[in-house]
């Protein structure tokens, strides 16, 4: 019987090489593939060189600022993809006896808002399952899924790999959260008031957000006094001060109910709405356990009013 190309080369190849090939093929970029796989530029370049030596072909050539697959790469991609998916399936089957937990990665504001509902749904429908929440954001969600550090991610988008499935549940808006002031009648901050106030920024990656880009286009700047990676404890920065923070509307409602001294208003400029997406590896649903977990998550998230 004639052996397939993947069978002939399997002795000299590991799963990481196959994953590198698939991601370069899908993204047409070493940088993007490296981010998805959590590899540095030198590491993924070495992996590509190893693939080229193994297959005795360039596999990808630079053309108009992206990497295009060669004829050989186009020919072997279906087998490589099948091999990667087969390995994932094998790993999932080998772990079946231990399936008593599901790992959900999300930012802490999402967990604060929908975590109790998710835990309640699992307690009712799959009481034998332990729900574990991990922290992530749009920048880290795809890596967590592909590195098998999480089973599901709930984020504002951020996943692009063909190996990852995505389901949307609407959009949410951001609002200005600040402390009430005695004698103040206005319930909305003007752009000037907003810019004059000191700002607390919540950004998981420690960088600027979309709102900063919008303000900069107006040739304005906000006065940033502190930056934190989590929403938890944000009220401690704002209570009794003039600080203002941009937070999701659903999170602002929770805090203002818990702390009557706080209030919120619409942003004084038009901002983009953030999507709410549930993502997971496509091969995950080949296992009945995770298929049932996904259904519980979908049913729960479909009932949530994000605005």
């Amino acid at each position: 019987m004639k052996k397939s190309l993947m069978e002939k080369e399997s002795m000299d190849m590991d799963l990481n090489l196959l994953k590198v090939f698939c991601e370069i093929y899908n993204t047409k970029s070493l940088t993007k593939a490296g981010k998805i796989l959590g590899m540095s530029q030198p590491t993924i370049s070495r992996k590509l060189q190893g693939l080229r030596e193994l297959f005795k072909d360039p596999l990808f050539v630079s053309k108009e600022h992206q990497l295009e697959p060669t004829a050989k790469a186009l020919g072997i991609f279906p087998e490589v993809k099948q091999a990667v998916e087969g390995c994932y399936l094998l790993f999932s089957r080998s772990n079946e006896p231990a399936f008593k937990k599901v790992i959900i990665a999300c930012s802490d504001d999402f967990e604060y808002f929908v975590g109790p509902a998710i835990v309640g749904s699992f307690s009712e429908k799959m009481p034998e399952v332990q729900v574990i929440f991990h922290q992530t954001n749009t920048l880290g969600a795809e890596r967590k899924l592909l590195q098998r550090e999480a089973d599901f991610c709930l984020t504002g988008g951020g996943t692009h790999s063909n190996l990852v499935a995505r389901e949307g549940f609407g959009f949410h808006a951001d609002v200005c959260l600040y402390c009430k002031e005695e004698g103040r009648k206005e319930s909305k901050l003007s752009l000037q008031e907003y810019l004059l106030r000191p700002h607390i920024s919540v950004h998981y990656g420690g960088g600027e957000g979309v709102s900063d880009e919008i303000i900069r286009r107006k040739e304005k700047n906000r006065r940033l006094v502190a930056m934190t990676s989590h929403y938890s404890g944000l009220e401690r920065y704002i209570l009794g001060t003039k600080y203002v923070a941009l937070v999701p509307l659903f999170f602002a409602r929770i805090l203002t109910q818990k702390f009557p001294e706080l209030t919120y208003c619409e942003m004084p400029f038009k901002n983009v709405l953030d999507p709410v997406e549930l993502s997971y590896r496509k091969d995950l649903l080949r296992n009945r356990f995770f298929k049932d977990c996904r259904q519980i998550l979908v049913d729960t998230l479909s009932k949530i009013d994000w605005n």
Side-chain angles (χ1 to χ4, degrees):
M1 182 182 295
K2 185 178 179 180
K3 290 186 177 181
S4 71
L5 176 61
M6 293 309 301
E7 289 175 317
K8 292 177 181 178
E9 305 291 358
S10 62
M11 293 297 292
D12 300 311
M13 184 179 298
D14 61 27
L15 180 58
N16 282 329
L17 281 180
L18 298 183
K19 289 160 63 178
V20 166
F21 178 90
C22 285
E23 289 307 331
I24 295 176
Y25 188 97
N26 290 330
T27 64
K28 297 185 177 182
S29 165
L30 289 181
T31 301
K32 292 179 181 178
K35 287 182 179 179
I36 291 172
L37 296 172
M39 296 181 182
S40 65
Q41 184 85 16
T43 298
I44 201 162
S45 295
R46 286 197 301 271
K47 296 286 186 182
L48 176 57
Q49 184 58 37
L51 284 164
R52 285 169 168 168
E53 293 174 0
L54 186 65
F55 287 105
K56 298 178 176 58
D57 187 85
L59 296 178
F60 301 96
V61 293
S62 181
K63 184 178 180 181
E64 296 181 358
H65 306 294
Q66 63 182 18
L67 294 176
E68 293 291 345
T70 63
K72 186 161 190 175
L74 288 169
I76 66 175
F77 176 70
E79 286 190 62
V80 174
K81 181 182 178 183
Q82 184 179 16
V84 171
E85 292 178 347
C87 287
Y88 283 146
L89 178 59
L90 179 62
F91 293 153
S92 67
R93 285 176 175 171
S94 68
N95 288 329
E96 281 183 357
F99 280 158
K100 294 295 181 182
K101 63 182 180 181
V102 58
I103 300 175
I104 304 169
C106 59
S107 56
D108 66 327
D109 56 326
F110 276 25
E111 180 184 347
Y112 199 88
F113 184 51
V114 299
I118 290 174
V119 171
S121 294
F122 273 95
S123 296
E124 178 185 349
K125 299 176 181 178
M126 296 179 72
E128 75 281 5
V129 176
Q130 181 184 45
V131 180
I132 300 174
F133 288 101
H134 283 187
Q135 291 290 303
T136 193
N137 70 337
T138 55
L139 300 177
E142 190 162 276
R143 183 191 63 80
K144 271 192 171 291
L145 292 173
L146 295 178
Q147 295 295 317
R148 310 182 75 82
E149 296 174 2
D151 303 311
F152 298 91
C153 282
L154 182 61
T155 59
T159 56
H160 307 285
S161 171
N162 289 339
L163 299 176
V164 174
R166 292 162 288 277
E167 298 185 60
F169 296 89
F171 297 83
H172 72 82
D174 284 343
V175 295
C176 299
L177 179 72
Y178 56 99
C179 193
K180 292 178 181 178
E181 296 179 36
E182 187 175 351
R184 179 185 172 86
K185 296 181 180 180
E186 290 291 333
S187 59
K188 185 176 181 180
L189 295 177
S190 67
L191 179 59
Q192 183 178 4
E193 288 177 303
Y194 172 82
L195 295 175
L196 285 175
R197 284 176 176 260
H199 287 247
I200 302 292
S201 176
V202 183
H203 196 289
Y204 190 89
E208 292 187 336
V210 176
S211 59
D212 292 288
E213 298 176 10
I214 295 174
I215 294 172
R216 197 174 293 114
R217 286 200 291 268
K218 296 178 179 290
E219 298 183 349
K220 306 286 186 180
N221 287 290
R222 61 174 178 162
R223 185 158 63 94
L224 188 62
V225 296
M227 184 176 291
T228 178
S229 59
H230 293 76
Y231 288 92
S232 177
L234 182 63
E235 70 280 354
R236 293 172 60 85
Y237 292 94
I238 299 176
L239 287 169
T241 73
K242 287 186 173 292
Y243 293 164
V244 62
L246 297 182
V247 302
L249 174 57
F250 61 79
F251 188 72
R253 284 176 173 162
I254 294 174
L255 284 189
T256 53
Q257 289 174 3
K258 189 174 182 180
F259 301 97
E261 306 96 319
L262 297 179
T263 187
Y264 65 87
C265 68
E266 293 181 359
M267 297 171 62
F269 53 87
K270 190 173 182 180
N271 198 5
V272 297
L273 296 177
D274 293 317
V276 179
E277 287 187 357
L278 178 71
S279 55
Y280 47 87
R281 298 184 309 277
K282 291 179 180 178
D283 68 284
L284 198 71
L285 299 191
R286 293 174 180 172
N287 185 284
R288 183 55 186 264
F289 171 81
F290 286 121
K291 193 172 183 179
D292 291 342
C293 288
R294 174 217 162 255
Q295 191 59 55
I296 290 177
L297 289 171
V298 168
D299 291 344
T300 303
L301 295 173
S302 297
K303 299 174 184 176
I304 301 296
D305 180 9
W306 297 94
N307 288 303

